[in-house]
Structures are given as C-alpha cells and as structure tokens.
Amino acid sequence: MQNRIMITGAGSGLGREIALRWAREGWKLALSDVSDAGLQETLNRVREAGGDGFIQRCDVRDYSQLTAFAQACEQRFGGIDIIVNNAGVASGGFFGELSLEDWDWQIAINLMGVVKGCKAFLPLLEQSKGKIINIASMAALMQGPAMSNYNVAKAGVVALSESLLVELRQQEVGVHVVCPSFFQTNLLDSFRGPTPAMKAQVGKLLESSPITASDIAAYIYDQVAKGEFMILPHEQGRVAWQIKQQNPHAIYDEMANMADKMRAKAKSVG
C-alpha cells in the first residue's frame, strides 16, 4: 500500500467527505466528477486537510474517460491502492410513471458507472493488491416504494460487489460495499422524477437525517480498516436489514403501507 486512492463523484457530498477523511491520513488522491468547480473545491479542502493529489473531469458513463483516468493515476502515482466508485444520481417515481429513459439514465450511471470503474482500474488493483469500495444504498436491500429504478441499480452494485468479493480473493484484491440510508447530502441536485411532490418527499427525508456525509465517511474508513465487506453506516439500517433477513414479509408490508401513504399524499397535493 502506497496510500493512493481514487474517488468518483468527488466534487460534493459523500465523495468529498471520503476524500477529506483519507486526506487527513496523508493519502494521495485522484478525484473525478462531472463538476469542475466542485472538484477544485474538494482539492482545495483536501490540501487544507493534509492530503494532495489531482483532479480529472470524468463522466462514469463513458468507459474511455475512466480508462484515461486510470492511466493518469498510473502516470502520476505509479498505480492505485483503493478505488471508490461513488458517483451516483437520485431518482424516484412509481413504476408506472417512470419512463424507459429514466431507467436507462439510472442504470447507466448508478450501476454501469460502477461496473466500468471496476473494469478500468482492475489491472492497477491487481498490481497493488488494493481494494474496491463500491457505494450502493440501503435501497439495494430494502427496496422502498416509488424508486424501483434506483433500487434495481443499487441492488446491482451489491450483487456486483459480492461477485467481485469471491472472484478477486485469489488476486488478493479486497472488496467492500457501502449501503447508507438517507443522509444530509446534495443528492437532490441530480434528482430526476415525474412529480415535484416526489422530490419534496425525498428532500424531507434527507434533511431530517441526523447523520451527515462526514459521519458516513468516517464510518466507512473504520469498517474498511476492519475488513468488513458489507458496510451499513446507519443503526436503523442495520436493524431493518436484520428484520428483513428474519421476517421479509414484515418489511414488505411496511413498504406497501408506505406506498399507500405516498399515493394518498400525492393525490392530496395534486
């Protein structure tokens, strides 16, 4: 380990906080995002926190941009030790309301962006015997209503991570998957959904969370150090996942009730 880390979606939110957490340990950071201004701000903060590195604009939908980013890591750092596939977007809407374009957009960024990130950086990780950290969501495990395309994309990230965990053990490449619940973030900036009411409901959930992106980054850092595969930063999330494993229908009933309430609320607003 030469303390070199790559983070996608590093221009804001959780990506930025992960960068700052590792920067405080003196790591060299390769930061990417589609926001140039956000990236520059993160790099400035990283340097204040005691780290250093470089920024490179990268749209995770474009594999050639990810391979160029990997080449830049090799040229500037001589390789990479940890990759964090964090870039993601939010969306919502009941299945009947979601267009196929909504599905394509969600899968292209939140699932295939992670697949492409792993693929582009795997040769470097095999050399360094490094680690993959994929950012999924509790939505991957709990499948809340009115977000089926998001649920499916994030569940795919968990399944990919499980596949890589077993496939890459022989190559001594570590794999971790993170499933945060709602937390205070700017995810709504990218939100796509059929109704303004849906965005407002998600916004309330994000704002009401007592947990910040900084808290989650610190938790991820500690759990990766312990070698934990599935990282669930929220206590409520850990409890819900335990319940679902023991009694899945209790969760399905809860989610169905939630769907009914959401529909009733949408009608009253409409």
Side-chain angles (χ1 to χ4, degrees), residues 43-145:
L43 184 59
N44 294 343
R45 293 207 204 172
V46 155
R47 286 174 173 155
E48 287 167 13
D52 201 3
F54 72 95
I55 55 177
Q56 186 159 318
R57 191 181 191 284
C58 181
D59 185 333
V60 296
R61 290 174 290 187
D62 185 343
Y63 184 61
S64 67
Q65 291 185 33
L66 280 159
T67 54
F69 189 34
Q71 285 167 354
C73 289
E74 191 166 23
Q75 285 160 3
R76 289 169 175 252
F77 292 166
I80 206 80
D81 300 294
I82 296 180
I83 68 165
V84 185
N85 290 303
N86 166 72
V89 289
S91 66
F94 285 102
F95 182 76
E97 301 165 337
L98 292 170
S99 68
L100 290 178
E101 287 75 20
D102 290 330
W103 276 90
D104 288 342
W105 178 76
Q106 183 60 233
I107 299 291
I109 298 170
N110 280 8
L111 176 54
M112 290 309 298
V114 177
V115 170
K116 290 170 183 175
C118 290
K119 185 109 180 128
F121 279 84
L122 184 56
L124 294 180
L125 291 169
E126 287 178 334
Q127 284 171 21
S128 66
K129 305 204 183 307
K131 300 178 194 296
I132 295 168
I133 304 173
N134 291 330
I135 308 298
S137 166
M138 279 307 294
L141 307 177
M142 306 308 292
Q143 288 86 42

Side-chain angles (χ1 to χ4, degrees), residues 24 34 38 52 87 104 129 143 148 198-199 214 237 253 268:
R24 286 196 284 275
V34 290
D52 201 3
D104 288 342
K129 305 204 183 307
Q143 288 86 42
S148 56
M198 189 69 65
K199 184 167 183 172
S214 176
D253 291 344
S268 67

